[in-house]
């Protein structure tokens, strides 16, 4: 679409000749996300209607206990160090961002007084700054007032390399200034089409300056409040046993009237996905269970118990396999999987391509995930029209064998291929979970037929997704040849999702393995495209840049990523629970609005 045509459409929306929804649908046809289309209208001064929520309680409290089950147990409660979804979701019980994302990808104010727009003066015409007005009268759980100083401090905290946060990618390239006690301005070096990153959603949870100011930098892991959060959310801290249980109670001074409905909250951790599903769907012991990574046939059988039901929410999550770009078995300067090394086998494109041909994605969809996992060749999947049309997946043991033969990888007496003293013998790790172990088995069987030996390693989920920098079995350390897990798309724009393959995000000893690029993938073209996309205001060009990035990371020429199934968010809930869950934010993003209906 040409610029004058786009401007004419926007003018029609301003004049009421075209609805906002119709405009968004037209942009979807061009490959944009709905939120990006909405933000185009925001920049052009087109007012948006506030998101409406169906919340019926007329007073705070009285709802009794809310019982949540996260079968991957949280291990800390500081969102800036939360490497896994479990820690992010647990942190969101207590901490809030300036705004979150609803299920349609619209921004919803939390600690902000309003969503910035051209109309209210929040968005600069040149796209180089955004001004947030903060909600007044908000208190931290210890009674201290929430102000602009807290917001600015979070930028300082996260962007400091010595603090080594997982959220640094959202803050290190911006500047944040205090305008007054309840106004902050974010400054960008260049026009920034996706401005709703810092202080928004999963990466945007705000911690209190007065309790963390003495722990910025190298002392950050020593803060007592990492395990005893003091936030602004609807529930305040009672108790936390890492790897087991989080307990909270309603915050009497919460800044939204009549919320929360529930008096207490319990997030139980541990166990497995099947027992979690059973505890909601069949026995009714819990109200809500997160992440139903369970064979769909089992879920359907459990639903007949009548106590609960499975809900599937569109999002951008992907279950995928990583091939290590580095050598996990060679130590350099006290670090394995060092970027100073190359993987002895996966540095050969033929081996990477063979591995891609040996993943039977359709069988994984048909026999394991069903409605909760769709076979895909793309890392970036949602919305559907945003998918690359340049990719396809194929399962062929014969072609894998042919590729390896041509590349000179010969089978030895033991049936394992070898070349130059290097054997195609790999450790393939993932977290303990029945669908993942079945997925591993499917890949192992195919690999054997191609002369590749896979040693399957399963790590307890609370360890695999742990933020413990001393633990050798965490996925950011990647001390294996191959690993598999789900990465979540925590905002409805590819910017933060796709930065996990930027070279500056590589997880290393120097950044305490907090970088988001756990595969150690490094590609100059990818870095260049990502930086271009960050400043590209033309929505069609920007979409094309992200599609090209997707094609690089999944392509056998350069990529080390094998997408398996696109995973919409799936959870179990009691039939009486009314829970607002978004596929673009934490499951716990709107706990204050959850209630029970007879």
């Amino acid at each position: 679409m040409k610029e004058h045509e786009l401007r004419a459409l926007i003018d029609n929306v301003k004049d009421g000749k075209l609805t906002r929804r119709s405009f968004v649908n037209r942009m979807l046809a061009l490959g944009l996300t709905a939120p990006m289309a909405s933000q185009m209208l925001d920049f052009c001064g087109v007012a948006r209607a506030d998101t409406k929520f169906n919340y019926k309680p007329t007073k705070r409290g009285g709802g009794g206990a809310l019982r949540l089950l996260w079968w991957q147990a949280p291990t800390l409660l500081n969102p800036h160090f939360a490497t896994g979804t479990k820690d992010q979701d647990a942190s969101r019980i207590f901490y809030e961002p300036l705004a979150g994302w609803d299920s349609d990808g619209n921004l919803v104010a939390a600690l902000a007084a309003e969503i910035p727009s051209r109309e209210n003066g929040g968005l600069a015409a040149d796209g180089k700054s955004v001004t947030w007005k903060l909600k007044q009268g908000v208190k931290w759980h210890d009674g201290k007032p929430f102000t602009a100083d807290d917001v600015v401090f979070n930028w300082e905290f996260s962007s400091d390399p010595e603090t080594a946060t997982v959220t640094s990618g959202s803050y290190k390239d911006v500047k944040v200034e205090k305008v007054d006690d309840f106004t902050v301005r974010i400054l960008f070096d260049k026009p920034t089409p996706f401005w709703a990153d810092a202080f928004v959603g999963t990466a945007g949870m705000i911690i209190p300056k007065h309790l963390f100011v003495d722990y910025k930098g190298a002392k950050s892991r020593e803060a007592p409040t990492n395990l005893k959060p003091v936030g602004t959310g609807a529930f305040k801290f009672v108790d936390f046993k890492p790897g087991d249980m989080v307990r909270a109670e309603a915050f009497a001074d919460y800044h939204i009237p009549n919320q929360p409905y529930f008096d207490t909250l319990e997030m139980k951790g541990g166990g497995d996905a099947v027992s979690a599903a059973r505890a909601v769907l069949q026995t009714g012991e819990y109200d809500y269970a997160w992440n139903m990574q369970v064979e769909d046939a089992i879920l359907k059988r459990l639903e007949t118990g009548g106590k609960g039901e499975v809900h599937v929410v569109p999002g951008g999550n992907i279950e995928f396999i990583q091939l290590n770009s580095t050598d996990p078995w060679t130590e350099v300067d006290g670090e394995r999987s060092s970027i100073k090394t190359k993987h002895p086998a996966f540095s050969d494109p033929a081996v990477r391509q063979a591995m891609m041909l040996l993943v039977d994605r359709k069988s994984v969809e048909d026999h394991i995930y069903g409605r909760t996992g769709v076979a895909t060749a793309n890392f970036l999947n949602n919305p559907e029209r945003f998918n690359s049309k340049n990719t396809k997946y194929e399962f062929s043991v014969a072609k894998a064998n042919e590729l390896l033969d041509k590349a000179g990888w010969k089978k030895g007496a033991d049936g394992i291929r070898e070349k130059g003293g290097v054997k195609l013998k790999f450790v393939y790790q993932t977290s303990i979970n029945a669908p993942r172990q079945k997925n591993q088995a499917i890949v192992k069987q195919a690999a054997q037929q191609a002369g590749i030996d896979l040693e399957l390693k399963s790590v307890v989920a609370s360890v695999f997704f742990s933020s413990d920098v001393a633990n050798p079995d965490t996925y950011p350390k990647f001390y294996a040849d191959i690993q598999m897990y789900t990465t979540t798309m925590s905002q409805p724009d590819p910017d933060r999702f796709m930065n996990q393959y930027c070279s500056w995000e590589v997880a290393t000893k120097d950044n305490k393995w907090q970088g988001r690029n756990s595969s150690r993938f490094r590609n100059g073209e990818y870095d260049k495209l990502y930086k271009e996309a960050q400043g590209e205001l033309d929505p069609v060009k920007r979409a094309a840049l992200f599609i090209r990035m997707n094609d690089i990371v999944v392509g056998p020429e350069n990529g080390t990523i094998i997408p398996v199934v696109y995973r919409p968010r799936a959870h179990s809930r009691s039939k009486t629970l009314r829970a607002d869950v978004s596929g673009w934010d934490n499951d716990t993003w709107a706990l204050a609005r959850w209630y029970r209906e007879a």
Side-chain angles (χ1 to χ4, degrees):
M1 179 176 288
K2 296 180 180 178
E3 183 178 353
H4 72 274
E5 296 174 317
L6 182 59
R7 293 189 182 279
L9 283 177
I10 293 172
D11 287 339
N12 285 341
V13 179
K14 285 182 178 179
D15 296 338
K17 298 175 183 176
L18 184 70
T19 66
R20 192 178 182 105
R21 179 176 293 238
S22 296
F23 175 84
V24 170
N25 287 338
R26 292 199 187 190
M27 294 303 102
L28 285 173
L30 295 176
L32 273 70
T33 64
M36 276 301 300
S38 292
Q39 288 192 354
M40 286 170 58
L41 296 176
D42 293 341
F43 263 118
C44 296
V46 180
R48 70 159 75 201
D50 291 335
T51 302
K52 302 296 183 184
F53 297 101
N54 182 27
Y55 181 73
K56 294 182 179 180
T58 57
K59 67 173 185 174
R60 175 171 295 150
L66 175 62
R67 299 159 302 173
L68 311 176
L69 195 50
W70 256 243
W71 53 271
Q72 290 177 12
T75 55
L76 58 73
L77 298 173
N78 183 329
H80 290 295
F81 302 139
T83 58
T85 307
K86 60 186 175 52
D87 294 330
Q88 295 167 353
D89 287 353
S91 296
R92 194 66 170 270
I93 295 171
F94 308 102
Y95 294 115
E96 297 176 295
L98 295 186
W101 298 104
D102 72 10
S103 57
D104 292 325
N106 296 312
L107 281 172
V108 178
L111 292 175
E114 60 187 8
I115 300 301
S117 66
R118 288 289 303 281
E119 186 181 44
N120 62 27
L123 299 179
D126 62 3
K128 295 179 71 173
S129 71
V130 56
T131 301
W132 288 91
K133 293 187 179 299
L134 310 182
K135 194 170 186 179
Q136 300 188 33
V138 176
K139 294 179 182 178
W140 294 101
H141 294 156
D142 61 3
K144 302 287 187 183
F146 163 74
T147 70
D149 291 327
D150 294 301
V151 180
V152 174
F153 170 75
N154 274 255
W155 164 63
E156 295 171 344
F157 183 88
S158 182
S159 60
D160 183 347
E162 289 294 313
T163 310
T165 66
V166 297
T167 56
S168 62
S170 297
Y171 297 94
K172 63 183 178 63
D173 295 326
V174 302
K175 293 181 180 178
V176 181
E177 61 184 21
K178 175 182 175 181
V179 178
D180 58 42
D181 283 348
F182 295 100
T183 310
V184 295
R185 183 175 293 116
I186 303 175
L187 304 172
F188 308 107
D189 290 336
K190 57 190 175 184
T192 301
F194 187 66
W195 48 267
D197 182 15
F199 309 114
V200 173
T202 297
M205 288 178 262
I206 297 172
I207 60 177
K209 176 181 179 179
H210 65 280
L211 294 177
F212 283 94
V213 68
D214 293 333
Y215 297 95
K216 185 165 72 78
K219 295 175 61 180
S220 61
R221 296 306 193 283
E222 301 172 19
T225 323
N226 287 339
L227 299 177
K228 297 180 179 180
V230 176
T232 58
F235 293 93
K236 67 178 184 178
F237 177 79
V238 172
D239 185 43
F240 177 42
K241 292 180 175 59
D244 181 21
M245 180 77 76
V246 180
R247 286 191 174 91
E249 63 184 12
F251 179 37
D253 287 331
Y254 186 55
H255 55 87
I256 300 178
N258 304 327
Q259 295 180 10
Y261 165 78
F262 291 101
D263 302 301
T264 62
L265 179 150
E266 172 188 295
M267 176 186 277
K268 174 66 177 172
D272 57 64
V274 175
S275 61
R278 183 177 294 110
V280 173
L281 301 174
Q282 194 173 64
T283 70
E285 184 181 355
Y286 284 86
D287 299 303
Y288 184 94
W290 158 88
N291 189 11
M292 291 294 92
Q293 193 165 13
V294 178
E295 293 171 65
D296 200 26
I298 295 175
L299 289 176
K300 288 178 179 177
R301 187 165 66 248
L302 291 174
E303 281 181 297
T304 62
K307 299 289 187 179
E309 51 200 3
V310 174
H311 285 252
V312 178
V313 183
N317 300 351
I318 177 76
E319 178 85 359
F320 70 115
I321 293 170
Q322 293 178 333
L323 307 179
N324 203 332
S325 300
T326 59
D327 186 349
W329 313 113
T330 299
E331 189 172 294
V332 178
D333 299 328
E335 179 180 9
R336 288 164 56 187
S337 290
S338 167
I339 57 173
K340 295 177 182 178
T341 65
K342 287 186 177 180
H343 196 281
F346 295 143
S347 54
D348 184 342
V351 179
R352 298 198 299 268
Q353 189 172 355
M355 286 303 305
M356 293 176 183
L357 288 165
L358 295 170
V359 179
D360 189 354
R361 305 171 218 213
K362 194 70 175 86
S363 288
V364 173
E365 175 188 339
D366 291 345
H367 302 299
I368 301 176
Y369 285 96
R371 58 185 157 159
T372 67
V374 181
T376 181
N378 288 321
F379 185 75
L380 178 58
N381 283 276
N382 199 27
E384 185 178 348
R385 293 178 186 271
F386 201 68
N387 284 2
S388 171
K389 304 300 187 292
N390 309 317
T391 61
K392 64 178 181 179
Y393 63 84
E394 181 181 8
F395 173 64
S396 176
V397 174
K399 286 187 178 180
N401 273 306
E402 184 181 347
L403 270 171
L404 294 171
D405 285 340
K406 287 182 178 179
W409 293 90
K410 305 298 183 183
K411 288 184 179 179
D414 57 1
I416 302 172
R417 292 182 182 270
E418 184 178 354
K419 178 181 176 182
V422 176
K423 281 199 165 191
L424 297 189
K425 192 171 184 176
F426 308 128
V427 173
Y428 174 16
Q429 71 177 15
T430 189
S431 64
I432 294 176
N433 169 258
R436 287 193 172 130
Q437 271 66 76
K438 290 191 176 183
N439 197 340
Q440 280 182 311
I442 289 172
V443 178
K444 179 180 175 70
Q445 184 179 31
Q448 282 177 330
Q449 298 175 51
I452 299 173
D453 182 55
L454 298 182
E455 176 188 334
L456 304 185
K457 179 180 177 181
S458 302
V459 183
V460 175
S462 60
V463 172
F464 190 68
F465 296 105
S466 170
S467 303
D468 182 3
V469 296
N471 198 312
D473 288 327
T474 64
Y475 78 89
K477 283 195 172 177
F478 200 177
Y479 289 172
D481 302 287
I482 305 170
Q483 69 180 6
M484 177 175 65
Y485 61 96
T486 288
T487 189
T488 57
M489 191 171 180
S490 58
Q491 54 187 208
D493 181 86
D495 185 277
R496 179 167 170 77
F497 186 68
M498 297 300 280
N499 85 342
Q500 60 192 295
Y501 296 110
C502 294
S503 61
W504 54 86
E505 282 288 336
V506 169
T508 66
K509 182 181 178 182
D510 288 342
N511 61 30
K512 298 184 175 69
W513 294 279
Q514 298 297 292
R516 300 188 70 232
N517 186 347
S518 56
S519 69
R520 279 66 165 172
F521 174 84
R522 287 169 293 158
N523 180 278
E525 182 187 0
Y526 188 96
D527 288 350
K528 180 175 178 289
L529 291 167
Y530 183 83
K531 288 180 177 178
E532 282 184 39
Q534 283 190 304
E536 180 55 71
L537 293 178
D538 183 315
V540 178
K541 290 180 180 178
R542 188 169 184 267
L545 290 170
F546 279 115
I547 288 173
R548 175 58 188 151
M549 282 181 253
N550 172 84
D551 294 352
I552 289 173
V553 297
V554 303
E557 298 82 8
N558 301 292
T560 57
I561 303 306
I562 308 175
V564 182
V565 289
Y566 153 65
R567 290 187 59 205
R569 298 268 183 99
H571 60 268
S572 296
R573 69 171 78 162
S574 162
K575 287 188 174 180
T576 63
L577 182 67
R578 300 297 172 258
D580 182 5
V581 178
S582 169
W584 300 115
D585 213 319
N586 299 107
D587 277 25
T588 51
W589 84 290
L591 278 176
R593 290 191 293 272
W594 289 22
Y595 67 98
R596 196 184 307 283
E597 196 168 59

